[in-house]
Amino acid sequence: MTADRPLDRIDDDDYPAYTMGRAAEMLGTTPAFLRALGEARLITPLRSEGGHRRYSRYQLRIAARAREMVDQGTAIEAACRIIILEDQLEEAQRINAELRRGGAVASGDKPGSAVRPAG
């Protein structure tokens, strides 16, 4: 078993590499905006050993989506809810597509082919 190497984290979208100040700077917003996203449960930053919020690149992409919507006039709570619902819909569609592929393969049918009764 190999130990986790620091360079392994460079491409990890979920690694909490950014402090709140750096994340806010990168997004062109304020720490208060990031706290509001956390209160709305859009993103949940990890905490450092000292209790400071740390954000991943994935979380920053979500925060950027929220910022765009807020900049266009959407209330922050509404933007967060919309993003959550969009992500849930995308996940449900992905699962549905996987199940359809799996069902078609299991029954020997081609995806999208109609099953006709024997007769």
Side-chain angles (χ1 to χ4, degrees), residues 29-44:
T29 189
T30 63
F33 179 79
L34 292 172
R35 281 191 292 277
L37 296 182
E39 289 169 11
R41 298 193 175 155
L42 180 62
I43 56 176
T44 303

Side-chain angles (χ1 to χ4, degrees), residues 2-59:
T2 61
D4 187 28
R5 298 176 309 183
L7 291 178
D8 291 340
R9 297 183 197 129
I10 288 175
D11 294 325
D12 184 354
D13 275 354
D14 295 319
Y15 182 72
Y18 304 98
T19 63
M20 176 180 274
R22 180 70 179 129
E25 179 185 323
M26 290 172 67
L27 294 170
T29 189
T30 63
F33 179 79
L34 292 172
R35 281 191 292 277
L37 296 182
E39 289 169 11
R41 298 193 175 155
L42 180 62
I43 56 176
T44 303
L46 291 163
R47 297 283 182 152
S48 69
E49 288 182 19
H52 300 284
R53 291 174 179 90
R54 299 284 182 164
Y55 297 88
S56 68
R57 287 190 301 199
Y58 175 74
Q59 290 172 325

